[in-house]
Amino acid sequence: MITKRIIPCLDVKNGRVVKGVNFLGLNDVSSPVELAKYYSDCGADELVFYDITASAEGRALFTDILCEVARTIFIPLTVGGGINTLDDFDRVLKCGADKVSVNSGAIRNPDLVYEAAKRYGNQCVVISADVKRVDGVFRVFAKGGRENTGMEAISWIRRCVDNGAGEVVLNSIDTDGVKQGFDLEMLDAVCRAVDVPVIASGGAGSMDDFVTLFKTLPGVDAGLAASIFHFGEVAIPDLKRRLADEGIPMRL
């Protein structure tokens, strides 16, 4: 049986890890290099690094910090933020990323996913979808959750997977930072629509939330979180032991 993954997320702004609620009210947390090393050492399965203001500010991702993070860790690294061209993919991969996450860049240029998958392989391309309910419909948001694209989310995610995305990170803006549990309804809709790994992001507040996630939606491959790990509310080794005790396959 394929093991489930536990993935901490570093949201980086101006070279520092930050965290907010519903994508707003960002507070300084730590150095991304120090935090990345800590997570790599304590048993995280992968790490996600998002330069969260690169797209909104229309600039390239911070490659100097990324290179330092990549040198420090020994687990797979997914990187996103300001990925708009194949050159951006190339630059980030050369900095040490294993996978590249694209959101706003794919919205602006839907062919980007297809072109990147063709050049680097499906396993390298991650579609990161920031999704929020608008009048009862799942809508895709761009620029770090600031801009409603008007696109229906499930069909958009399916289109990206059809174009070659090998993994989906579903970021629920509705549950982000609220710590009341993952967005199971939204995740279920995505799992039913695609046949690639789906990573749940947004809403983890306790170990129980991960138990509920994997037991309710066995099709979800990984749980991603930030606040509860950054602020020491949940230790990754403790979480993985708890999940294993619940019969959820884990790499211990």
Side-chain angles (χ1 to χ4, degrees), residues 129-155:
D130 296 338
V131 181
K132 184 177 181 178
R133 291 166 180 79
V134 179
D135 298 326
V137 178
F138 297 138
R139 297 291 183 194
V140 178
F141 278 66
K143 297 183 178 176
R146 295 169 180 80
E147 182 181 286
N148 183 0
T149 66
M151 292 193 298
E152 192 277 321
I154 307 305
S155 57

Short mmCIF file of all heavy atoms in Angstrom, two decimals, residues 129-155:
data_model
loop_
_atom_site.label_atom_id
_atom_site.label_comp_id
_atom_site.label_asym_id
_atom_site.label_seq_id
_atom_site.Cartn_x
_atom_site.Cartn_y
_atom_site.Cartn_z
N ALA A 129 -3.79 24.84 -7.04
CA ALA A 129 -5.04 25.57 -7.27
C ALA A 129 -5.52 26.21 -5.98
O ALA A 129 -5.77 25.51 -5.00
CB ALA A 129 -6.11 24.62 -7.83
N ASP A 130 -5.62 27.53 -5.98
CA ASP A 130 -6.20 28.28 -4.86
C ASP A 130 -7.69 28.42 -5.15
O ASP A 130 -8.08 29.11 -6.10
CB ASP A 130 -5.55 29.65 -4.73
CG ASP A 130 -4.07 29.58 -4.39
OD1 ASP A 130 -3.65 28.54 -3.86
OD2 ASP A 130 -3.34 30.55 -4.66
N VAL A 131 -8.51 27.78 -4.32
CA VAL A 131 -9.94 27.66 -4.65
C VAL A 131 -10.80 28.18 -3.49
O VAL A 131 -10.49 27.93 -2.32
CB VAL A 131 -10.31 26.19 -4.96
CG1 VAL A 131 -11.78 26.06 -5.33
CG2 VAL A 131 -9.42 25.66 -6.09
N LYS A 132 -11.85 28.87 -3.85
CA LYS A 132 -12.78 29.43 -2.86
C LYS A 132 -14.20 29.32 -3.39
O LYS A 132 -14.44 29.43 -4.60
CB LYS A 132 -12.43 30.90 -2.60
CG LYS A 132 -13.25 31.58 -1.53
CD LYS A 132 -12.77 33.02 -1.32
CE LYS A 132 -13.56 33.70 -0.21
NZ LYS A 132 -13.07 35.08 0.03
N ARG A 133 -15.14 29.11 -2.48
CA ARG A 133 -16.54 29.08 -2.87
C ARG A 133 -17.03 30.50 -3.13
O ARG A 133 -16.87 31.39 -2.29
CB ARG A 133 -17.40 28.45 -1.77
CG ARG A 133 -17.17 26.96 -1.57
CD ARG A 133 -17.79 26.48 -0.26
NE ARG A 133 -17.60 25.05 -0.04
CZ ARG A 133 -16.46 24.52 0.40
NH1 ARG A 133 -15.42 25.30 0.66
NH2 ARG A 133 -16.36 23.21 0.58
N VAL A 134 -17.64 30.68 -4.29
CA VAL A 134 -18.27 31.96 -4.63
C VAL A 134 -19.69 31.65 -5.07
O VAL A 134 -19.90 30.99 -6.08
CB VAL A 134 -17.50 32.70 -5.74
CG1 VAL A 134 -18.21 34.03 -6.07
CG2 VAL A 134 -16.06 32.97 -5.34
N ASP A 135 -20.67 32.07 -4.27
CA ASP A 135 -22.08 31.77 -4.56
C ASP A 135 -22.29 30.27 -4.75
O ASP A 135 -23.02 29.84 -5.66
CB ASP A 135 -22.57 32.55 -5.79
CG ASP A 135 -22.50 34.05 -5.57
OD1 ASP A 135 -22.73 34.49 -4.43
OD2 ASP A 135 -22.22 34.78 -6.55
N GLY A 136 -21.62 29.48 -3.90
CA GLY A 136 -21.81 28.04 -3.93
C GLY A 136 -21.04 27.29 -5.00
O GLY A 136 -21.17 26.07 -5.13
N VAL A 137 -20.21 28.01 -5.77
CA VAL A 137 -19.44 27.38 -6.84
C VAL A 137 -17.95 27.48 -6.50
O VAL A 137 -17.48 28.51 -6.01
CB VAL A 137 -19.69 28.08 -8.20
CG1 VAL A 137 -18.84 27.45 -9.31
CG2 VAL A 137 -21.17 28.01 -8.56
N PHE A 138 -17.20 26.38 -6.72
CA PHE A 138 -15.75 26.41 -6.50
C PHE A 138 -15.10 27.24 -7.61
O PHE A 138 -15.16 26.87 -8.78
CB PHE A 138 -15.16 25.00 -6.54
CG PHE A 138 -15.68 24.08 -5.45
CD1 PHE A 138 -16.01 22.76 -5.74
CD2 PHE A 138 -15.82 24.52 -4.14
CE1 PHE A 138 -16.46 21.91 -4.75
CE2 PHE A 138 -16.28 23.69 -3.14
CZ PHE A 138 -16.61 22.37 -3.44
N ARG A 139 -14.45 28.34 -7.23
CA ARG A 139 -13.81 29.21 -8.20
C ARG A 139 -12.31 29.25 -8.00
O ARG A 139 -11.83 29.22 -6.86
CB ARG A 139 -14.35 30.65 -8.10
CG ARG A 139 -15.84 30.79 -8.40
CD ARG A 139 -16.15 30.55 -9.86
NE ARG A 139 -17.58 30.77 -10.15
CZ ARG A 139 -18.17 30.38 -11.28
NH1 ARG A 139 -17.46 29.77 -12.23
NH2 ARG A 139 -19.45 30.59 -11.48
N VAL A 140 -11.55 29.36 -9.10
CA VAL A 140 -10.10 29.45 -9.06
C VAL A 140 -9.69 30.90 -8.82
O VAL A 140 -10.20 31.81 -9.48
CB VAL A 140 -9.49 28.96 -10.39
CG1 VAL A 140 -7.97 29.11 -10.37
CG2 VAL A 140 -9.88 27.53 -10.66
N PHE A 141 -8.75 31.08 -7.89
CA PHE A 141 -8.21 32.41 -7.62
C PHE A 141 -6.74 32.45 -8.02
O PHE A 141 -6.03 31.45 -7.95
CB PHE A 141 -8.36 32.76 -6.13
CG PHE A 141 -9.72 33.28 -5.78
CD1 PHE A 141 -10.84 32.45 -5.88
CD2 PHE A 141 -9.90 34.59 -5.37
CE1 PHE A 141 -12.11 32.92 -5.56
CE2 PHE A 141 -11.17 35.08 -5.06
CZ PHE A 141 -12.27 34.24 -5.14
N ALA A 142 -6.29 33.63 -8.45
CA ALA A 142 -4.91 33.83 -8.88
C ALA A 142 -4.23 34.86 -7.97
O ALA A 142 -4.86 35.45 -7.10
CB ALA A 142 -4.89 34.32 -10.33
N LYS A 143 -2.91 35.02 -8.20
CA LYS A 143 -2.11 36.02 -7.49
C LYS A 143 -2.22 35.86 -5.98
O LYS A 143 -2.54 36.80 -5.25
CB LYS A 143 -2.48 37.43 -7.93
CG LYS A 143 -2.19 37.68 -9.40
CD LYS A 143 -2.50 39.10 -9.83
CE LYS A 143 -2.14 39.30 -11.30
NZ LYS A 143 -2.50 40.65 -11.78
N GLY A 144 -1.94 34.64 -5.51
CA GLY A 144 -1.94 34.39 -4.08
C GLY A 144 -3.29 34.56 -3.43
O GLY A 144 -3.40 34.97 -2.28
N GLY A 145 -4.35 34.19 -4.16
CA GLY A 145 -5.70 34.25 -3.61
C GLY A 145 -6.34 35.64 -3.67
O GLY A 145 -7.41 35.86 -3.11
N ARG A 146 -5.70 36.56 -4.38
CA ARG A 146 -6.20 37.94 -4.42
C ARG A 146 -7.22 38.18 -5.53
O ARG A 146 -8.01 39.11 -5.44
CB ARG A 146 -5.04 38.92 -4.62
CG ARG A 146 -4.04 38.97 -3.49
CD ARG A 146 -2.79 39.75 -3.91
NE ARG A 146 -1.80 39.82 -2.84
CZ ARG A 146 -0.95 38.86 -2.54
NH1 ARG A 146 -0.97 37.72 -3.22
NH2 ARG A 146 -0.08 39.00 -1.56
N GLU A 147 -7.19 37.37 -6.56
CA GLU A 147 -7.95 37.69 -7.77
C GLU A 147 -8.83 36.52 -8.20
O GLU A 147 -8.33 35.43 -8.50
CB GLU A 147 -6.95 38.04 -8.89
CG GLU A 147 -7.57 38.44 -10.21
CD GLU A 147 -6.47 38.73 -11.23
OE1 GLU A 147 -5.82 39.79 -11.12
OE2 GLU A 147 -6.26 37.89 -12.12
N ASN A 148 -10.13 36.74 -8.24
CA ASN A 148 -11.08 35.73 -8.71
C ASN A 148 -11.02 35.65 -10.23
O ASN A 148 -11.32 36.63 -10.91
CB ASN A 148 -12.49 36.09 -8.24
CG ASN A 148 -13.53 35.04 -8.63
OD1 ASN A 148 -13.21 34.03 -9.24
ND2 ASN A 148 -14.77 35.29 -8.25
N THR A 149 -10.62 34.49 -10.74
CA THR A 149 -10.53 34.34 -12.20
C THR A 149 -11.90 34.11 -12.83
O THR A 149 -12.05 34.25 -14.05
CB THR A 149 -9.64 33.14 -12.58
OG1 THR A 149 -10.29 31.94 -12.13
CG2 THR A 149 -8.27 33.26 -11.93
N GLY A 150 -12.88 33.71 -12.00
CA GLY A 150 -14.20 33.37 -12.53
C GLY A 150 -14.29 31.95 -13.06
O GLY A 150 -15.38 31.47 -13.38
N MET A 151 -13.15 31.25 -13.13
CA MET A 151 -13.16 29.89 -13.68
C MET A 151 -13.66 28.89 -12.64
O MET A 151 -13.32 28.98 -11.46
CB MET A 151 -11.75 29.47 -14.12
CG MET A 151 -11.24 30.23 -15.32
SD MET A 151 -9.75 29.47 -16.02
CE MET A 151 -8.59 29.60 -14.66
N GLU A 152 -14.46 27.92 -13.10
CA GLU A 152 -14.91 26.84 -12.22
C GLU A 152 -13.71 25.93 -11.95
O GLU A 152 -12.99 25.52 -12.87
CB GLU A 152 -16.04 26.06 -12.89
CG GLU A 152 -16.79 25.11 -11.96
CD GLU A 152 -16.08 23.78 -11.79
OE1 GLU A 152 -15.53 23.27 -12.80
OE2 GLU A 152 -16.05 23.27 -10.66
N ALA A 153 -13.49 25.60 -10.68
CA ALA A 153 -12.23 24.99 -10.27
C ALA A 153 -12.04 23.54 -10.71
O ALA A 153 -10.95 23.16 -11.14
CB ALA A 153 -12.08 25.08 -8.75
N ILE A 154 -13.07 22.73 -10.60
CA ILE A 154 -12.88 21.29 -10.87
C ILE A 154 -12.55 21.05 -12.34
O ILE A 154 -11.65 20.27 -12.67
CB ILE A 154 -14.13 20.48 -10.45
CG1 ILE A 154 -14.51 20.79 -8.99
CG2 ILE A 154 -13.87 18.99 -10.64
CD1 ILE A 154 -13.40 20.56 -7.97
N SER A 155 -13.25 21.74 -13.23
CA SER A 155 -12.96 21.57 -14.65
C SER A 155 -11.58 22.12 -15.00
O SER A 155 -10.88 21.57 -15.86
CB SER A 155 -14.04 22.24 -15.50
OG SER A 155 -14.16 23.61 -15.18
#
